């Protein structure tokens, strides 16, 4: 209660007159904060973000003490960056509040308008009566030119006040650019809120699923918020089962095309021609798909064995699965294979891409990705791929220098000879690697992003017009005196004047735009 | 002969699958050879435009400038044909690889410039930067990148692909033209104020209106760049499971956006809306080039992994 009482006692006007508040309400301050953030961003692209210090040093990174001191490998979570972003947020908030107060007061303020200075003068010919002319002009602006009459606001932009007492009428057409500007700046503030939710509450991890297996999901990490309260990761209330993992490839012929610049010029001159060559290894990934089932662990849902599955979906890159706020993405896949050496009944197991030492073979064997699944050929036909891998032999001398020898294609149940030993591919299995993420900031960000884009597009691309006019008697004839203000890229002042001219043609003499007033 | 006639009989009398495939491959190679030679022709036309614009700069005569603009139209129309051919070859939007996106960049920048230039009478100086960039982009693609038509990799198979790239590149194109106007304005303003070098079509009466185009173009490009960043984030969220990962390409696009935001705000500040604003506009253009090309070089130089490797 005391806090509420204190808040009520705060003199807002006094706060708004505070020097620091005024500094924060300035556009210049926004630009300064944005400039500082640019500095952080540039640093973030020079130092690899999220890399470990060891990796950084191994890849030739220098200035290590500097990197450690300023935590440059995690720059975007350092207090320096977060404080700058927070200050920009405060600056934006104050600017949005000030703009809102200004817009609200503009709608209410009525000032005297004694200094109205027009740009164009326009003799009205049909009616010598000033009162009738006023009504006719208003009607034309409203019905023919689709303008709306506005209450006499304080027209700061015109450098003067305007008021109904002085016979001034204000007409507007199009969405108010000031409100649109306010809306998208406020939506940017909402985006900040979305980022904040992501920063505090999001967590992510990976899960490896083998076909036919239902795996429990227990994230290794917790959100920053939970971490700060000492919470530990908890298993989620459902399991995920991989029914099938599908890989598809496009036939991708290799292009025989010179790399050196002179030979390329020869192609340009028509002395050489590019060629497509089809080789066995001409495979280009088309898709990876995982057919998934979500199995609910809640006791209430377990009515029968088949009833446990609450959701089925085949996911692929760009088409994730969402359940209970967690989104699962097709991240990668893993392959394990078993090879047989000669007729030895004991099989050697290894993972694709890892080195395998087999007794009796000088060096290490390494197997490339196993191509399996469906091949989509250039001629439009499809073919089931007979699983195969590319084998290499790696030899390392005493100085640590490595020599890589390509052994060739190893098909399933086929063989390759290495140092008089026959290597056969007997079995292999694939696992789908899914990344998953909980991020409550995403919906906030998307909705605010849509608002930013819409309001910004209407504000910048649209057209807004304001005409302030007065009808005055000059030399015994009523004259239309007016001034135009436009905003937006589509706004065309000249066209508007022409339209005014056309609309008043029946009741006036031609407009004289050159008449200085 | 630049284009050899293609004499293979498409599929006629071909029975085996292999020979059918060979026919397809020879046809593809033939179309690619036409495309490469057309690309070189376009690069040459942009080069001739650049030379003509430079002659205009040196001689102060309007003739070479006018001829350069007409040549640029020729280049843009041929280039449009080239892009259509590439679309036909790949059966998809032609901006997957850097080879393709450089072509798209050169074409969109030149086309935007020609559209803007129509409003002026005998002002050709901004064409120098536009022609130089278009030629440079084409030569960079032709001399260093592989022209192979690749199928779309899984992350690129998204409805965001076309929208994200087209609108982001449209923003790049308008920023190029905006910067070329800005540089022209800054270099010629002192002379025009003294009543000198009026042969370039700019005088004290039209100089500020000419310069205003630079601001209007940046204003036009800004929402497009904003859309590019938002759509990229939405796409990354679908494909990689997070909307922002501080990847060098993402970060540089944010830098470009921020610098242009500073520029647009500075235009409404009395103390900043002259030379400082002009500098921000040029900086924004440099950042845009970094986002498009420079970041690849930076990532390679510093060994920073990037998820945007397909665009490198």
């Amino acid at each position: 209660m005391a806090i509420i009482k204190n808040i009520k006692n705060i003199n807002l006007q006094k706060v708004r007159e505070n020097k620091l508040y005024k500094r924060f309400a300035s556009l210049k301050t926004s630009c300064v904060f944005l400039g500082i953030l640019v500095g952080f961003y540039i640093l973030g692209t020079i130092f690899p973000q999220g890399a470990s210090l060891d990796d950084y040093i191994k890849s030739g990174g220098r200035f290590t003490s500097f990197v450690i001191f300023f935590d440059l490998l995690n720059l975007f979570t350092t207090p320096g960056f977060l404080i700058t972003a927070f200050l920009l947020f405060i600056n934006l908030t104050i600017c949005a509040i000030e703009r809102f107060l200004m817009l609200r007061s503009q709608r209410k303020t009525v000032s005297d308008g004694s200094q109205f200075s027009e740009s164009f003068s326009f003799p009205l010919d049909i009616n010598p009566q000033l009162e009738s002319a006023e009504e006719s002009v208003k009607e034309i602006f409203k019905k023919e030119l689709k303008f709306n009459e506005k209450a006499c606001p304080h027209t700061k932009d015109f450098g003067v006040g305007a008021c109904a007492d002085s016979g001034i009428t204000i007409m507007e057409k199009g969405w108010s650019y000031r409100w649109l500007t306010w809306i998208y700046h406020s939506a940017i503030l909402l985006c900040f809120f979305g980022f904040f939710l992501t920063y505090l509450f999001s967590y992510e991890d990976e899960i490896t699923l083998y076909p036919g297996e239902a795996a429990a999901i227990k994230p290794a990490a917790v959100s920053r918020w939970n971490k700060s309260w000492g919470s530990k990761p908890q298993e989620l209330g459902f399991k995920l089962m991989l029914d099938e993992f599908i890989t598809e490839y496009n036939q991708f012929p290799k292009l025989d095309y010179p790399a050196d610049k002179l030979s390329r010029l020869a192609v340009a001159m028509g002395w050489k021609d590019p060629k497509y060559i089809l080789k066995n290894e001409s495979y280009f990934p088309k898709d990876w798909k995982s057919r998934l089932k979500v199995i609910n662990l809640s006791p209430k849902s377990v009515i029968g064995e088949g009833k446990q599955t609450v959701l089925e979906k085949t996911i692929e890159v760009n088409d994730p699965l969402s359940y209970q706020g967690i989104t699962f993405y097709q991240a990668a896949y893993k392959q394990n294979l078993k090879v047989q050496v000669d007729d030895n009944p004991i099989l050697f197991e290894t993972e694709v891409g890892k080195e395998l030492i087999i007794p009796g073979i000088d060096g290490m064997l390494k197997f490339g990705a196993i191509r399996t699944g469906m091949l989509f050929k250039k001629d439009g036909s499809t073919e089931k791929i007979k699983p195969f891998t590319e084998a290499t032999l790696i030899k390392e001398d005493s100085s640590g220098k490595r020599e890589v020898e390509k052994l060739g294609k190893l098909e399933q149940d086929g063989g390759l000879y290495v140092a008089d030993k026959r290597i056969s591919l007997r079995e292999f299995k694939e696992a789908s690697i899914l990344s998953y993420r909980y991020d409550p900031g995403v919906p906030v960000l998307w909705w605010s992003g849509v608002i930013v884009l819409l309001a910004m597009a209407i504000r910048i691309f649209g057209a807004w017009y304001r005409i302030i006019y007065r009808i005055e008697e000059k030399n015994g004839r009523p004259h239309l005196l007016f001034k135009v203000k436009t905003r937006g890229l589509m706004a065309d002042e000249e066209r508007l004047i022409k339209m005014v001219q056309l609309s008043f043609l029946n009741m006036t003499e031609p407009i004289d735009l050159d008449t200085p007033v | 002969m630049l284009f050899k006639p293609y004499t293979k009989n498409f599929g006629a009398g071909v029975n085996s699958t292999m020979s059918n495939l060979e026919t397809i491959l020879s046809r593809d190679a033939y179309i690619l050879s036409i495309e490469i030679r057309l690309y070189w022709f376009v690069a040459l036309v942009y080069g001739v435009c650049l030379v003509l614009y430079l002659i205009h700069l040196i001689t102060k005569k309007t003739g070479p400038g006018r001829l350069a603009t007409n040549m640029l139209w020729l280049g843009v129309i041929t280039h449009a044909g080239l892009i259509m051919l590439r679309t036909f070859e790949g059966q998809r939007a032609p901006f997957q690889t850097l080879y393709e996106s450089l072509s798209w960049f050169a074409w969109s920048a030149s086309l935007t410039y020609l559209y803007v230039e129509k409003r002026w009478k005998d002002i050709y100086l901004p064409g120098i930067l536009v022609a130089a960039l278009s030629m440079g982009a084409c030569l960079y693609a032709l001399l260093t990148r592989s022209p192979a038509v690749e199928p779309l990799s899984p992350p690129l198979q998204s409805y965001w692909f076309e929208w994200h790239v087209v609108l982001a590149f449209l923003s790049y194109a308008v920023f190029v033209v905006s910067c070329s106007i800005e540089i022209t304005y800054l270099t010629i303003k002192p002379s025009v104020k003294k009543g000198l070098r009026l042969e370039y079509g700019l005088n004290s009466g039209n100089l500020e209106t000419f310069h205003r185009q630079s601001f209007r173009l940046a204003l036009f490009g800004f929402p497009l760049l904003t859309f590019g960043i938002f759509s990229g984030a939405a796409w990354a969220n679908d494909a990689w499971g997070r909307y922002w990962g501080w990847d060098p390409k993402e970060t540089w696009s944010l830098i470009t956006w921020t610098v242009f935001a500073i520029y647009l705000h500075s235009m409404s500040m009395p103390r900043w809306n002259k030379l400082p604003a002009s500098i921000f506009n040029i900086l924004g253009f440099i950042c845009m080039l970094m986002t498009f090309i420079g970041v690849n070089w930076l990532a390679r130089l510093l060994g920073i992994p990037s998820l945007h490797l397909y665009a490198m």
Side-chain angles (χ1 to χ4, degrees), chain A residues 306-324:
Chain A
K307 298 281 168 86
Q308 285 185 323
T309 301
V310 286
L311 188 65
E312 278 185 67
K313 189 178 177 182
T314 303
I315 68 161
E316 55 191 294
V317 183
N318 284 313
D319 188 14
L321 162 88
S322 288
Y323 185 70
Q324 288 188 358

Side-chain angles (χ1 to χ4, degrees), chain B residues 77-127:
Chain B
I77 292 165
T78 318
H79 205 154
L82 173 74
I83 287 168
M84 280 193 269
L85 183 65
R86 185 77 183 182
T87 310
F88 167 75
E89 273 181 278
Q91 300 290 306
R92 54 165 173 76
F95 22 71
Q96 178 182 5
T97 58
L98 189 58
Y99 174 86
E100 291 169 346
S101 50
L102 281 163
S103 167
W104 184 261
F105 170 74
W107 178 75
S108 53
S110 299
L111 184 67
T112 309
Y113 170 70
L114 287 171
Y115 177 76
V116 175
E117 202 226 62
K118 273 202 313 185
R119 292 154 187 249
W120 309 326
K121 196 175 179 293
D122 292 335
I123 302 170
Y124 302 108
L125 287 182

Side-chain angles (χ1 to χ4, degrees), chain A residues 49-264:
Chain A
Q49 294 305 297
S52 70
L53 192 67
D54 283 349
D55 288 342
Y56 173 71
I57 294 165
K58 268 182 204 164
S59 59
R62 285 182 288 175
F63 317 111
T64 37
S65 51
F66 185 69
V67 167
I68 295 166
F69 185 76
F70 290 104
D71 199 6
L72 291 178
L73 300 180
N74 296 295
L75 192 67
F76 300 114
T77 49
T78 55
F81 176 78
L82 294 175
I83 288 168
T84 313
F86 179 69
L87 290 175
L88 178 69
F89 176 79
I90 298 290
N91 165 250
L92 256 175
T93 309
I94 291 175
C95 287
I97 292 168
E98 283 300 306
R99 198 179 279 265
F100 178 76
L101 292 173
M102 191 190 78
L103 285 166
R104 221 177 56 148
S105 64
Q106 236 188 9
R107 288 170 69 189
K108 288 178 182 170
T109 310
V110 177
S111 48
D112 69 356
S114 55
Q115 300 168 48
F116 169 72
S117 60
E118 61 277 10
S119 301
F120 308 110
S121 172
F122 197 100
L124 301 170
D125 215 23
I126 54 143
N127 200 332
Q129 298 299 314
L130 218 56
E131 291 77 19
S132 316
E134 266 174 20
E135 282 309 307
S136 308
V137 167
K138 207 175 264 184
E139 188 118 332
I140 286 173
F141 269 118
K142 280 182 178 174
K143 288 194 173 163
E144 289 193 25
L145 296 166
K146 310 287 179 208
F147 272 77
N148 296 313
E149 189 176 356
K150 292 281 158 188
C152 256
H154 176 71
T155 52
K156 197 182 160 192
D157 300 320
F158 288 79
V160 291
C163 166
D165 294 342
S166 56
I168 280 167
T169 309
I170 297 169
M171 292 281 184
E172 283 182 9
K173 189 175 167 177
W175 292 31
S176 163
Y177 77 93
R178 286 180 187 280
W179 276 109
L180 286 168
T181 307
W182 182 81
I183 289 169
Y184 70 74
H185 278 91
S186 304
I188 290 173
L189 280 175
L190 265 179
C191 289
F192 268 88
F193 181 63
F195 297 142
F196 185 64
L197 287 180
T198 296
Y199 181 78
L200 272 190
F201 300 107
S202 71
Y203 61 84
E204 62 188 4
D205 200 4
E206 273 188 359
I207 182 167
T208 304
L209 294 173
Y210 286 92
E213 261 182 34
I217 302 150
K218 190 178 178 186
V222 289
S223 66
R224 282 188 175 90
W225 177 260
N226 284 339
K227 200 175 174 183
S228 67
W229 292 101
S231 304
K232 288 190 174 165
Q234 286 189 340
E235 197 173 302
L236 303 179
F238 60 91
K239 281 185 174 182
L240 210 56
M241 185 169 152
L242 177 69
D243 259 2
E244 192 185 4
F245 180 66
I246 306 153
T247 48
E248 290 172 351
Y249 294 91
N250 276 313
Q251 198 170 36
F252 180 48
K254 194 176 179 295
L255 181 69
D256 181 18
Y257 188 72
D260 70 294
K261 295 173 178 69
L262 273 178
S263 303
R264 287 189 173 200

Side-chain angles (χ1 to χ4, degrees), chain A residues 366-379:
Chain A
K366 194 174 169 181
F367 301 95
I370 300 164
R371 306 297 184 186
T372 180
M374 198 61 81
L375 176 69
F376 290 76
K377 296 171 94 173
K378 285 289 284 180
D379 60 2

Side-chain angles (χ1 to χ4, degrees), chain A residues 264-455:
Chain A
R264 287 189 173 200
L265 270 172
V267 174
M269 299 305 290
W271 299 332
K272 273 185 184 179
D273 280 317
K275 264 184 203 158
Y276 278 113
I277 304 159
L278 204 57
K279 287 186 176 177
N280 284 335
E281 66 270 28
S282 302
Y283 287 76
F284 192 92
K286 185 177 186 289
D287 222 336
W288 309 297
K289 294 177 190 172
S290 295
R291 205 141 57 79
L292 297 174
K293 272 182 187 163
V294 177
I295 297 163
N296 202 334
L297 299 178
S298 159
K300 281 179 190 172
S301 71
V302 186
I303 302 164
E305 184 90 12
K307 298 281 168 86
Q308 285 185 323
T309 301
V310 286
L311 188 65
E312 278 185 67
K313 189 178 177 182
T314 303
I315 68 161
E316 55 191 294
V317 183
N318 284 313
D319 188 14
L321 162 88
S322 288
Y323 185 70
Q324 288 188 358
I326 314 271
T327 312
F328 294 88
Y329 304 88
Q330 182 67 64
Y333 60 89
K334 186 176 154 186
Q335 292 171 322
N336 289 66
L337 53 89
K338 283 182 181 172
V339 290
Q340 187 179 26
V341 181
D342 294 329
D343 295 324
N344 192 335
I346 301 164
L347 303 180
F348 288 88
E349 186 170 358
T350 184
E351 195 181 317
V352 159
K354 291 197 172 164
E355 286 150 5
L356 173 71
I357 296 169
I358 291 176
I361 294 179
D362 181 21
M364 293 165 288
L365 284 173
K366 194 174 169 181
F367 301 95
I370 300 164
R371 306 297 184 186
T372 180
M374 198 61 81
L375 176 69
F376 290 76
K377 296 171 94 173
K378 285 289 284 180
D379 60 2
S381 63
T382 53
E383 186 183 284
K384 196 161 175 13
I385 302 165
K386 188 177 181 192
F388 73 92
T389 177
E390 295 288 334
T392 48
L393 182 68
I394 301 162
K395 286 181 181 171
E396 197 174 292
D397 62 18
S398 53
S399 64
K401 197 181 167 190
R402 288 187 153 210
E403 204 176 279
V404 180
E405 184 192 344
K406 277 188 180 180
L407 298 174
K409 188 174 170 181
L410 178 62
E411 284 189 336
Q412 191 169 26
D413 298 326
L416 266 177
Y417 280 93
V418 189
D420 295 336
K421 289 190 184 293
R422 190 173 188 273
I423 309 287
S424 325
L425 174 61
R426 289 289 170 228
E427 284 174 36
F428 74 94
K429 62 175 179 180
E430 290 180 298
S432 178
I433 301 174
L434 310 182
S435 67
Y436 59 94
R437 185 176 173 87
Y438 171 74
D439 190 346
V442 169
V444 178
L445 195 65
W446 287 166
W447 282 110
S448 48
V450 168
I451 297 169
V452 169
L453 286 170
L454 279 177

